[in-house]
Amino acid sequence: MTTNSHHERVPVLIAGGGSVGLTASLLLARHGVRSLVAERHLGTSILPRAFGTNVRTMEIFRVLGLEDAIQAVEVDVGGRPLLLAMQTLDGPVVESVPFQNSGDPDDPAWPSPTRVSFCAQDILDPILVRALGQAEFAELRFGTEVSGLRPDPAGVTAELTDRRDGTRRVVRADYLIAADGASSSIREWLGIGMTGHNISAEINVLFEADLSRALGAKRAILYRLHNQWLPHGGLFRNIDGRNRWTMFTRDPSNARPARIAEIIRGCAGDPDLAVEILASGAWRKAALLADRFRAGRVFLAGDAAHRLTPAGGLGLNTGIQGAHNLAWKLAAALHGWAGPDLLDTYQAEWRPAARRAVALSHQIETTGHRAAAKMLGQMLGTEYQRGAFVPDGTGPPDVADPVADYVPTARPGHRAPHYPLSCDGGRRSTIDLFDGKFIALSPSKRWCDAARAAGATLGVPLAAHVITDPAWAARYAVGPDGAVLVRPDGYVAWRRAEACDDMPGELNRALDTVLCRDRTAG
């Protein structure tokens, strides 16, 4: 790696400016950590590779203040089935798979303050770019590639090349997030392998066509076809509620635009259909997991860490949720209120979670989309077996099917449940409280006072809220003198059902454990 030209310093360098890299930068900025995003392409992708942000991802975007912007441009799929299977778009329906997880925040039984949003990635990413442009601690450089890397125990030295004029500069970062996609060069430089299933060579086609005559009254989120034009099958997906579509299929031997348009006309049963091919991209369908998510000061995220099939819409969501797990830990290490071992919990927590998502996407791909029709447990019920939390000795919730079912629980290692609160004459969710600090919740003012004192003593950003609603206490399984400590990413770090003699000491010890602080040091 050359080391001439300009030199810069940045706490976190992010390789890759797709949805995961952009979200990671926004989350770091919210924690007051400066980051530089280097994206090799000249702009965001014109291909809508992903379509649909699930309810947990929308909770993250809600806390970032982006929920309204995303919902303003989403496609309304209200009441539609997840999938219709047929031979051709103008033919009869062979199978209909219902969709049950979009959610209604006004329904008291719905376990979130938000809902699934069907917003294509080529629409989502510009929203994230605009938000980055307004963030004080974030910088995004398009047309900039990480062309060399030299990690060491104290940080990472990276060479950045401007792909427009060849200018090279050297950046010194404390940490690097490799969000540079499925073919991650950084993962390859580090010698980290991937394990799982390589499935098939595919093509993703973005096109404009009026398919309303072919479909008639048939409306769905996905249309699965199998016919002479698509002998290996294919999926059609509308992405704007009008005439903008994507088609996913095995990469045909002749993938020229004229041939692709002929395939689309055949699938629509209309040889005269006007079809405009806007873009296409070859890719490899796979269900793969990186053997490690961390190598020293470098962390893999998104498709660089885990490749999922499109089935179930888990890929983008798994990547963004992983960035959410990592961002607060990097901030804690950089700001000095956590020990360095906290960063090991990213792999300890998120790699098993990603493994489950990869396996589920492969299952749906090989057994059919019916398994994706209802998987609220996958969205909200991800449980960490070990990591940055203090187990309280209670068992996991009794769930018949952990993918399909979700049982709210405030057991440490779980997402803190949504509960609606009355606030200033309106309604607010507990989810809205988890915005970048540790949060203590308790019916007891004594616990809240002790939590604030512990945060001040340890230099940890921490807020506390007294919640006197008995239904909230029942949801979180604490008594009138109990308390819960929630991490900045909304996961329960510690819980005690009742009072204790030394509340400040108890919380000090809990924070020391969660943050991997060595109290014997210094």
Side-chain angles (χ1 to χ4, degrees), residues 23 32 61 83 196 206 288 354 369 377 386 395 437 452 479 489 511 516:
T23 302
F61 286 144
L83 179 141
L206 174 65
L288 298 168
H369 281 77
R386 60 186 182 89
K437 299 182 291 292
R452 295 186 189 100
D489 63 349
L511 285 165
C516 303

Side-chain angles (χ1 to χ4, degrees), residues 77 79-84 96-99 219-222:
V77 299
R80 297 184 186 182
L82 172 66
L83 179 141
L84 296 179
S96 177
V97 179
F99 184 69
R219 292 292 182 268
I221 298 169
L222 294 169

Side-chain angles (χ1 to χ4, degrees), residues 31 104 168 209 233 257 277 313 366 447 449:
H31 291 293
D104 179 4
R168 296 180 179 181
I277 306 300
T366 54
W447 270 120
D449 289 343

Side-chain angles (χ1 to χ4, degrees), residues 107-140:
D107 180 354
W110 179 246
S112 176
T114 187
R115 54 177 171 75
V116 174
S117 180
F118 285 94
C119 175
Q121 189 175 356
D122 63 328
I123 304 299
L124 172 65
D125 285 359
I127 293 173
L128 302 179
V129 169
R130 288 193 292 273
L132 271 185
Q134 299 170 3
E136 180 182 356
F137 295 99
E139 182 182 358
L140 168 62

Side-chain angles (χ1 to χ4, degrees), residues 203-207 236 247 249 251-252 254-266 275 277 279-281:
I203 188 169
N204 178 9
V205 179
L206 174 65
F207 68 95
F236 280 67
M247 178 182 71
T249 187
D251 196 352
N254 179 0
R256 292 198 303 268
R259 173 56 181 158
I260 295 172
E262 182 183 356
I263 291 171
I264 294 168
R265 293 188 186 101
V275 178
I277 306 300
S280 64

